[in-house]
Amino acid sequence: MQAPVKPVKRTIVRAACPHDCPDTCAMQITVENGIAVKVEGAKDHPFTAGTLCTKVARYLERTYSKDRVLFPHKRVGPKGRGEFERISWDEALDTIATKFKAIEAEDPQGILPYDYAGTMGYVQWHSMGRRFFNRLGASRLDRTICSSAGKAGVRITLGGSFGMDPERFDEAKLILVWGSNPIVSNLHLWSRVQEAKRRGAKLIAIDPYRSLTAEKCHEHLALLPGTDAALALGLMHVIIGEGRHDADYVEKYTIGFEALAERVKDYPPHEVAEITGLPAEKIIALAREYAATRPAAIRLNYGLQRHAGGGMAVRNIMCLPALTGDWRHPAGGAVLSTSGFFGMNQTQLERPDLLTRSKCPNPRSVNMSAVGDALLEARPPIRALYVYNSNPVAIAPDSSKVVRGFSREDLFTVVHEQFLTDTCDYADIVLPATTQLEHHDVHTAYGHLYVMANSPAIAPLGESLPNSEVFRRLAARMGFTEDCFRDSDEDVCRQALESPNPNMRGIEWESLKQKGWQRLAVPERFAPFAQGNFGTPSGKCEFYSETAKNMGMDPLPTYIPPRESALSNPELASKYPLALISPPNRHFLNSSFANLPFAIAEAREPSLELHPRDAAARSIRDGDSVCVFNGRGAFTARARVSERAREGVVVALSVWWKKLTADRANANEVTSQALTDIGRGATFYDCLVEVRPQR
């Protein structure tokens, strides 16, 4: 007799994509008898509109991967070998607590959390972990590796991480895609850009690399890396010098125009051409077209701020819409990030008041972009690391130093992860983490104006736990008795939404969880600066900034050259004449997904794109194995010879896991720990190298 067929119990669960992408997609998870069987974009979400990127569309392959870490483990072999044996949660937590208590007794600054945007959620990233390390008095982490320079530049000019509403890009008449590749990293904005193109808008890409996006624009201006600030000043020279600015908007809603007009006289197009590598006539034509076309929209992204003058570059570009009056229009202006429009209750989430109960109420800050030096040189020394939501051995610059630091026998390292990453290979304890389908969270976005809810679709696999729960259990073992360590994940979601920010009005957890998303309380046709109301001290767009002056910066827009370029450092360029940039590989998301079979099958192997003339000068043929090197290190890649890379620039799409490459190395072998002008950010794209064939 056949067993009775079990009836299928099917449910649909509302979720949000957790990854470091401006789109923060609304998802729907179909669950049958406790197993997730389908992940799709929510069709009712205005920005997601039913579409997910090719990576997240296959999220089930991540959640149910045979390579998931599902149980706690301890190291049994040498650091770097990735040899572990399974242990219980009690043994793992007791080991961590014992180590942390011993360090805390001497100086809790010897403990460093290292975390970033492996998940962007306020529960799994911004709450219980911050509370735990505040109560402990551990070293603070200066989280600078992605966006801090650009955000600082926008803050000086506009007063915060503000910009135009990305949903309005389809109405723009001219779109500058500046240092951005939205086909890869901002897919849902790209659909709106394409709609604008169908309606007759002109698209211009400004990028050293002829990316997938640049190939689909009407025009591509391939400037040299790190020269965006000079290009913006050259555009302002033409716009102001020829009287093409919106005098009414400038008079009413800006400050420092006269001083700016004097400053930009120092940047005539023929001199900017020498800096940027663009023809002067192209600079002039772009300035005139931008000034003549309303509304014009600028989408800039974080690649252009990853060099010595990155913060200033973003500041300069953000001045342009005020000069032309584009802020008057919902479809005009510029956007780097929309994150400043949100107002989550960070104080309630992170509880900085807990520092006063620790043994070190004012701990030092350690910059994550220079973690290699910190692990080797910091005094007092870093004695323990707790890594979550990040993979520093793969993604941090100057990788050989990072590996040397992680290899220290006297360093106790804990990694809470979904997979055995490069960083896990150096861990003493590895803890199993849940995926987004297995926990609660609440999200904002930096590429749209919706708050998002994530509900668990399935029970945690194996013995995996959310970040929040591990910190609750560690807090108990450390003897922390504060009530905040007993808050549930849904309690934290509610606390996050308790905000005095008027944009958050009417957003409550229960209704948000039910619907999955809710737009901020702003007008549908949102032009935030149509009548000024900037977030700056003056309330105006600040061409001249006292804030910048008080930071020790030039109060006016200026050009800060890269540290590593032929013009700024000819001696270094004589040894390493090629500028390297390492933008995202479309099949990975930073180092997430970079271990999954479908992503590796698409990405194939590390590659280096270089211009035919640069290849010919080095006897490099398409398909050759090449070594990319400088004084910091080296990695190998497959040469792809084409004109997608401008002459003098080589492009290594990233970030590959080191242990999954032939030479156990990636592009961060050659990148620098030097920091940006403001924001103390990473300078990944301020990097000179040489390339030789490997035959």
Side-chain angles (χ1 to χ4, degrees), residues 112 114 366 370-379 381-385 401-408 410-411 413 673:
L112 176 69
Y114 192 104
V366 174
V371 69
D373 282 345
L375 290 174
L376 296 171
E377 301 171 8
R379 293 294 177 269
I382 296 167
R383 298 169 57 191
L385 268 175
K401 284 189 175 180
V402 177
V403 168
R404 281 168 51 203
F406 271 84
S407 298
R408 282 173 36 204
D410 64 336
L411 178 70
T413 300
Q673 293 182 81

Coordinates of all heavy atoms in Angstrom, one line a residue, residues 112 114 366 370-379 381-385 401-408 410-411 413 673:
L112 N 38.8 43.8 18.5 CA 38.3 44.6 17.4 C 37.2 43.9 16.6 O 37.4 42.8 16.1 CB 39.4 45.0 16.4 CG 39.0 45.7 15.2 CD1 38.6 47.1 15.5 CD2 40.2 45.7 14.1
Y114 N 35.2 43.5 13.2 CA 35.4 43.8 11.8 C 34.1 43.4 11.0 O 33.9 42.2 10.9 CB 36.6 43.2 11.2 CG 37.0 43.7 9.9 CD1 38.1 44.6 9.7 CD2 36.3 43.4 8.7 CE1 38.5 45.1 8.5 CE2 36.7 44.0 7.5 CZ 37.8 44.8 7.4 OH 38.1 45.3 6.2
V366 N 39.9 52.2 14.8 CA 40.8 51.5 13.9 C 40.1 51.5 12.5 O 39.0 51.1 12.3 CB 41.0 50.0 14.3 CG1 41.8 49.2 13.3 CG2 41.7 50.0 15.7
A370 N 42.7 50.1 6.5 CA 44.1 49.9 6.8 C 44.3 48.8 7.9 O 45.2 48.9 8.7 CB 44.8 51.3 7.3
V371 N 43.5 47.8 7.8 CA 43.5 46.8 8.8 C 44.8 46.0 8.7 O 45.3 45.5 9.8 CB 42.3 45.8 8.7 CG1 42.4 45.0 7.4 CG2 42.1 45.0 9.9
G372 N 45.5 45.9 7.6 CA 46.7 45.2 7.5 C 47.8 45.9 8.4 O 48.4 45.2 9.3
D373 N 47.9 47.2 8.3 CA 48.8 47.9 9.2 C 48.4 47.8 10.7 O 49.2 47.6 11.6 CB 48.9 49.3 8.8 CG 49.8 49.6 7.6 OD1 50.6 48.6 7.2 OD2 49.8 50.7 7.0
A374 N 47.1 47.9 10.9 CA 46.6 47.8 12.3 C 46.9 46.5 13.0 O 47.4 46.5 14.1 CB 45.1 48.1 12.3
L375 N 46.8 45.4 12.3 CA 47.0 44.1 12.9 C 48.5 43.9 13.1 O 48.9 43.2 14.0 CB 46.5 43.0 12.0 CG 45.0 42.9 11.9 CD1 44.6 41.8 10.8 CD2 44.4 42.5 13.2
L376 N 49.4 44.6 12.4 CA 50.8 44.4 12.5 C 51.5 45.5 13.4 O 52.5 45.2 14.0 CB 51.5 44.5 11.1 CG 51.1 43.3 10.2 CD1 51.6 43.6 8.8 CD2 51.6 42.0 10.7
E377 N 50.8 46.7 13.5 CA 51.5 47.8 14.1 C 50.8 48.4 15.3 O 51.4 49.2 16.0 CB 51.8 48.8 13.1 CG 52.7 48.3 11.9 CD 52.8 49.3 10.8 OE1 52.3 50.5 11.0 OE2 53.3 49.0 9.7
A378 N 49.5 48.2 15.4 CA 48.7 49.0 16.4 C 49.2 48.8 17.8 O 49.7 47.7 18.2 CB 47.2 48.5 16.4
R379 N 49.2 49.9 18.6 CA 49.6 49.8 20.0 C 48.6 50.5 20.9 O 48.3 51.7 20.6 CB 51.0 50.4 20.2 CG 52.1 49.7 19.6 CD 52.3 48.3 20.2 NE 53.4 47.5 19.6 CZ 53.2 46.6 18.6 NH1 51.9 46.5 18.1 NH2 54.2 46.0 18.0
P381 N 48.4 46.4 21.0 CA 48.1 45.5 19.9 C 46.7 45.0 19.9 O 46.0 44.9 20.9 CB 49.1 44.3 20.1 CG 49.4 44.3 21.6 CD 49.3 45.8 22.0
I382 N 46.2 44.7 18.7 CA 44.9 44.0 18.5 C 45.1 42.5 18.8 O 45.9 41.8 18.2 CB 44.3 44.2 17.1 CG1 44.0 45.6 16.8 CG2 43.1 43.3 16.9 CD1 43.8 46.0 15.4
R383 N 44.5 42.0 19.8 CA 44.7 40.6 20.3 C 43.6 39.7 19.9 O 43.7 38.5 19.9 CB 44.8 40.6 21.8 CG 46.0 41.5 22.3 CD 46.1 41.7 23.8 NE 46.0 40.4 24.5 CZ 45.8 40.3 25.8 NH1 45.6 41.4 26.6 NH2 45.8 39.1 26.4
A384 N 42.4 40.3 19.5 CA 41.3 39.4 19.1 C 40.5 40.1 18.1 O 40.3 41.4 18.2 CB 40.4 39.0 20.3
L385 N 40.0 39.4 17.1 CA 39.1 39.9 16.0 C 37.8 39.1 16.0 O 37.8 37.9 16.1 CB 39.8 39.7 14.7 CG 40.7 40.8 14.1 CD1 41.3 40.2 12.8 CD2 39.9 42.0 13.7
K401 N 49.8 42.3 3.6 CA 49.9 42.7 5.0 C 48.7 42.2 5.7 O 48.8 41.8 6.9 CB 50.0 44.2 5.0 CG 51.3 44.8 4.7 CD 51.4 46.3 5.0 CE 52.8 46.8 4.8 NZ 52.9 48.3 5.2
V402 N 47.5 42.2 5.1 CA 46.3 41.7 5.8 C 46.6 40.2 6.2 O 46.3 39.8 7.3 CB 45.1 41.8 4.9 CG1 43.9 41.2 5.6 CG2 44.9 43.3 4.6
V403 N 47.1 39.4 5.2 CA 47.3 38.0 5.5 C 48.4 37.8 6.6 O 48.2 37.0 7.5 CB 47.8 37.3 4.2 CG1 48.3 35.9 4.5 CG2 46.6 37.2 3.3
R404 N 49.4 38.6 6.6 CA 50.4 38.6 7.6 C 49.8 38.8 9.0 O 50.1 38.2 10.0 CB 51.6 39.5 7.4 CG 52.6 39.0 6.3 CD 53.5 40.1 5.9 NE 54.1 40.8 7.0 CZ 54.6 42.1 6.9 NH1 54.5 42.8 5.8 NH2 55.2 42.6 8.0
G405 N 48.9 39.8 9.0 CA 48.3 40.1 10.3 C 47.4 39.0 10.8 O 47.4 38.6 12.0
F406 N 46.6 38.5 9.9 CA 45.7 37.4 10.2 C 46.4 36.1 10.6 O 45.9 35.2 11.3 CB 44.7 37.1 9.1 CG 43.4 37.9 9.2 CD1 43.3 39.2 8.7 CD2 42.3 37.4 9.8 CE1 42.2 39.9 8.8 CE2 41.1 38.1 9.8 CZ 41.1 39.4 9.3
S407 N 47.7 36.0 10.1 CA 48.5 34.8 10.4 C 49.1 34.8 11.8 O 49.7 33.8 12.2 CB 49.5 34.6 9.3 OG 49.0 34.5 8.0
R408 N 49.1 35.9 12.5 CA 49.7 36.0 13.8 C 49.2 34.9 14.7 O 48.0 34.7 14.9 CB 49.4 37.3 14.5 CG 50.3 38.5 13.9 CD 49.8 39.8 14.5 NE 49.3 39.7 15.9 CZ 48.5 40.5 16.5 NH1 47.9 41.5 15.8 NH2 48.1 40.3 17.8
D410 N 49.4 34.8 17.9 CA 48.9 35.4 19.1 C 47.6 36.1 18.9 O 47.0 36.8 19.8 CB 49.9 36.3 19.8 CG 50.2 37.5 18.9 OD1 50.0 37.5 17.7 OD2 50.7 38.6 19.5
L411 N 47.0 36.1 17.7 CA 45.8 36.8 17.4 C 44.6 35.7 17.4 O 44.7 34.7 16.7 CB 45.8 37.4 16.0 CG 44.5 38.1 15.5 CD1 44.2 39.4 16.4 CD2 44.6 38.4 14.0
T413 N 40.9 34.8 16.5 CA 40.0 35.3 15.5 C 38.8 34.5 15.4 O 38.8 33.2 15.4 CB 40.7 35.3 14.1 OG1 41.8 36.2 14.1 CG2 39.7 35.8 13.0
Q673 N 46.8 50.9 1.2 CA 46.1 51.2 2.4 C 46.0 52.7 2.6 O 45.5 53.2 3.6 CB 46.8 50.6 3.6 CG 46.7 49.1 3.7 CD 47.3 48.5 4.9 OE1 46.7 48.5 6.0 NE2 48.6 48.1 4.8

